[in-house]
Amino acid sequence: MACDLKGKVAVLTGAGGGIGRAVAEMLAQEKMNIVLLGGNNPEKLAQTEKIIRQYTDFLTIPGNLTDMDFLTQAVEKAVTRFGGIDVLINNAGVAQNTAFADISEAEYDRIMAINTKVPFFLCQRALPFLKKSASATIINIASVVAHAGYPMQSVYTASKHALLGFTKSLARECYRDNIRVHAICPGGVYTDMVKISRPDLTADGMIMPEEIAEIVRFFLTNRGNAVIDEILVHRVNKEPFI
């Protein structure tokens, strides 16, 4: 059954570029109210704001996503502004290109915090409000490395395995509350993150962020009896995992 997204409220992290910006533009075109959460690059976030303001109303709440008090306050601000939360999209993430032997404790903690801890506790804080929505949806942007491991990406891979496992557990726990919880595991999306983790790759043959945004649109507009818990996205005629 197709769902009308107009007027619904979406909270989105990592909207400064790449997949996040493409998703933000798609949500705006659907006339959703959007909360852009966090962001450590004001200039990039401002570019996203410029794109979406022509379509819809939005609220930007800048801050440190790894600060648990910030997450609590941000959710409260979102609900105060728009009256509730219907959709939560955890897209913010960081990658690495560091040999296992050279990973510091600080780098480990940073990657695990942003890629795993933040989605976990943001979901927890948004859950009471999502339960009040008739079309509540959580989408966690994971990665193909949630299914495989690659050199120089040990912590990133561990964080995405954890995110995927958490997503599957939460989906089971929230199903009776009519909250759909999904994971998208893209491989080979040409974003700044991929440029960091795989500097040997070029844009040739890569998945574009807009293609992932279309998958997000599918999740949000289709709430029939067939529930998809995960979509693994491969490149065509290329090495499936990167």
Side-chain angles (χ1 to χ4, degrees):
M1 180 178 65
C3 297
D4 183 7
L5 301 179
K6 184 178 181 180
K8 297 188 183 301
V9 181
V11 175
L12 170 66
T13 67
I19 293 173
R21 180 175 294 166
V23 169
E25 183 172 6
M26 180 276 294
L27 298 175
Q29 291 172 347
E30 292 286 346
K31 306 300 182 183
M32 297 188 73
N33 297 313
I34 307 171
V35 180
L36 305 176
L37 199 58
N40 57 6
N41 191 322
E43 293 182 359
K44 292 180 67 176
L45 202 55
Q47 293 173 15
T48 301
E49 293 173 339
K50 183 177 180 180
I51 292 170
I52 67 175
R53 67 165 36 99
Q54 61 185 307
Y55 300 110
T56 192
D57 193 11
F58 68 93
L59 171 66
T60 300
I61 309 176
N64 180 5
L65 289 172
T66 63
D67 181 342
M68 297 298 104
D69 289 337
F70 169 75
L71 294 185
T72 301
Q73 294 166 12
V75 168
E76 292 173 352
K77 289 179 181 178
V79 173
T80 298
R81 172 68 176 271
F82 293 118
I85 298 174
D86 301 290
V87 174
L88 172 59
I89 303 172
N90 286 298
N91 172 69
V94 291
Q96 66 165 116
N97 186 35
T98 310
F100 170 75
D102 296 327
I103 294 289
S104 66
E105 183 178 0
E107 185 174 11
Y108 176 94
D109 288 343
R110 180 180 68 91
I111 294 171
M112 294 298 292
I114 296 173
N115 293 357
T116 306
K117 183 178 180 179
V118 169
F120 187 100
F121 285 103
L122 185 52
C123 285
Q124 188 183 77
R125 282 153 174 74
L127 192 60
F129 304 102
L130 288 166
K131 287 181 177 180
K132 299 177 183 179
S133 171
S135 55
T137 306
I138 296 171
I139 298 176
N140 292 329
I141 306 299
S143 166
V144 293
V145 302
H147 294 271
Y150 301 96
M152 314 294 282
Q153 298 182 41
S154 55
V155 185
Y156 178 63
T157 298
S159 71
K160 293 300 185 177
H161 270 73
L163 179 61
L164 180 58
F166 155 64
T167 302
K168 291 180 178 181
S169 179
L170 185 63
R172 293 278 186 172
E173 189 167 335
C174 292
Y175 182 76
R176 293 188 182 276
D177 292 315
N178 197 34
I179 301 173
R180 302 291 174 84
V181 184
H182 309 290
I184 301 176
C185 297
V189 183
Y190 198 61
T191 65
D192 289 342
M193 183 181 297
V194 165
K195 294 173 188 177
I196 293 172
S197 60
R198 285 293 301 270
D200 56 304
L201 297 174
T202 67
D204 180 47
M206 301 286 281
I207 300 165
M208 292 295 105
E210 292 75 16
E211 296 179 84
I212 305 303
E214 285 304 310
I215 296 173
V216 174
R217 190 199 306 269
F218 175 83
F219 274 143
L220 298 181
T221 56
N222 291 271
R223 288 181 65 87
N225 293 326
V227 180
I228 302 171
D229 61 354
E230 176 192 1
I231 289 183
L232 184 60
V233 187
H234 301 285
R235 294 185 290 161
V236 177
N237 298 326
K238 294 285 183 177
E239 178 189 358
F241 298 111
I242 67 166

